[in-house]
Amino acid sequence: QNSSEMPETITSRDAARFPIVASCTLLGLYLFFKIFSQEYINLLLSMYFFVLGILALSHTISPMMNRFFPANFPNKQYQLLFTQGSGESKEEIVNYEFDTKDLVCLALSSVVGVWYLLRKHWIANNLFGLAFSLNGVELLHLNNVSTGCILLGGLFIYDVFWVFGTNVMVTVAKSFEAPIKLVFPQDLLEKGLEADNFAMLGLGDIVIPGIFIALLLRFDISLKKNTHTYFYTSFVAYIFGLGLTIFIMHIFKHAQPALLYLVPACIGFPLLVALAKGEVTEMF
């Protein structure tokens, strides 16, 4: 994605529709895995996420990489322009500007991409997963707090239903060989980097609360008090919610819908702070 692109704003109508769209997609994938052979789908998905992952990763590391380039680095500017028609009716289809530094980032990301494609290694998977999450939080903006509550509330129900009510979510998450989840090796200490017993966290459990936390950071800044109270509150609430998820997962030995714990935490804690400070009206 070009960094000059406008973020996608999520309205309350989009938020209300989201769980239904997500449910249809999830069910579609589930049936797809039941009908077709898994290798075939995962091959298609691998190629798709290979390209997408490389682009997402290079977009993510590009600002960080700037520090590592020496001052005398020969940085050339490039423009990829693809037009249609001529004269007055000439219109741009692709207009992409980049420089040598972006190409270096692209090369580095491609190395991760090839590593992912060949080995499906968990570290490569997580690098792509984190890049997707960061791009997701960057591109998706909530227009206000009530939209955030509708979105989180709807997906809370969606998550609980598909994890506890059916085996759909767990089946798809386990069969789906794509960097749409972060994986954490539970046997890392015994097996080192060759670990193969994983706990997983879907990117939705990161991006959905993430865009809400990002909204609260914008709310903090709009209060012009030079404090980030709501951001830190929701940030700590997220860590608490995730910790609780893991704790309960270990006690009951059953997959847990992370949003079941993350949504009440991420909405509840900042709301309590707003009540205490008398800023609920400003918040909404």
Side-chain angles (χ1 to χ4, degrees):
Q1 288 285 351
N2 197 331
S3 51
S4 62
E5 267 186 39
M6 281 305 292
E8 199 61 38
T9 302
I10 303 170
T11 62
S12 50
R13 273 184 68 183
D14 301 329
R17 218 180 286 139
F18 201 83
I20 297 152
V21 177
S23 296
C24 296
T25 311
L26 186 69
L27 203 55
L29 281 168
Y30 178 73
L31 294 172
F32 217 69
F33 277 118
K34 286 271 175 270
I35 300 163
F36 299 102
S37 84
Q38 219 169 302
E39 293 75 42
Y40 173 65
I41 312 163
N42 279 325
L43 190 71
L44 275 172
L45 287 172
S46 290
M47 291 316 295
Y48 176 66
F49 281 102
F50 171 71
V51 176
L52 219 58
I54 288 175
L55 292 172
L57 192 58
S58 53
H59 177 68
T60 304
I61 62 172
S62 164
M64 300 191 303
M65 287 300 292
N66 278 336
R67 294 185 200 146
F68 297 107
F69 288 105
N72 59 358
F73 183 80
N75 198 24
K76 291 193 176 68
Q77 300 293 326
Y78 303 94
Q79 185 182 25
L80 201 66
L81 191 59
F82 191 64
T83 56
Q84 178 187 352
S86 60
E88 291 293 302
S89 62
K90 186 168 166 179
E91 52 177 322
E92 293 181 359
I93 299 174
V94 178
N95 183 0
Y96 197 68
E97 291 179 11
F98 55 97
D99 53 24
T100 321
K101 291 178 180 178
D102 293 329
L103 290 175
V104 174
C105 292
L106 202 62
L108 284 172
S109 305
S110 303
V111 171
V112 178
V114 172
W115 182 28
Y116 174 75
L117 220 48
L118 297 177
R119 297 288 311 277
K120 289 280 188 285
H121 198 280
W122 60 272
I123 295 178
N125 172 87
N126 287 358
L127 285 172
F128 275 171
L130 287 168
F132 286 138
S133 305
L134 283 163
N135 278 288
V137 174
E138 202 175 309
L139 283 170
L140 299 171
H141 280 193
L142 288 165
N143 59 1
N144 56 45
V145 172
S146 45
T147 301
C149 293
I150 295 168
L151 183 69
L152 266 68
L155 286 167
F156 169 86
I157 297 165
Y158 155 89
D159 212 18
V160 172
F161 174 76
W162 290 112
V163 174
F164 285 151
T166 66
N167 68 338
V168 171
M169 182 79 85
V170 178
T171 307
V172 170
K174 282 184 176 165
S175 333
F176 207 90
E177 269 189 20
I180 52 151
K181 53 184 185 271
L182 294 187
V183 290
F184 304 95
Q186 295 175 307
D187 46 5
L188 184 66
L189 296 176
E190 299 102 78
K191 293 189 182 173
L193 296 181
E194 296 305 307
D196 53 11
N197 176 25
F198 297 107
M200 49 197 174
L201 177 68
L203 296 192
D205 301 326
I206 302 169
V207 174
I208 301 299
I211 57 181
F212 188 70
I213 294 171
L215 175 69
L216 290 177
L217 178 58
R218 292 205 295 278
F219 172 54
D220 273 323
I221 293 165
S222 77
L223 291 173
K224 294 185 173 58
K225 289 183 184 167
N226 288 334
T227 56
H228 293 158
T229 319
Y230 291 98
F231 171 70
Y232 287 125
T233 306
S234 57
F235 191 70
V236 169
Y238 183 88
I239 296 170
F240 167 77
L242 205 51
L244 187 62
T245 311
I246 296 166
F247 176 70
I248 292 179
M249 188 172 72
H250 279 296
I251 290 178
F252 291 107
K253 302 275 182 260
H254 183 280
Q256 296 294 320
L259 293 178
L260 171 60
Y261 310 99
L262 291 173
V263 170
C266 290
I267 294 177
F269 283 102
L271 207 54
L272 288 172
V273 172
L275 278 167
K277 297 179 78 170
E279 292 176 336
V280 177
T281 38
E282 288 98 317
M283 193 177 192
F284 283 90

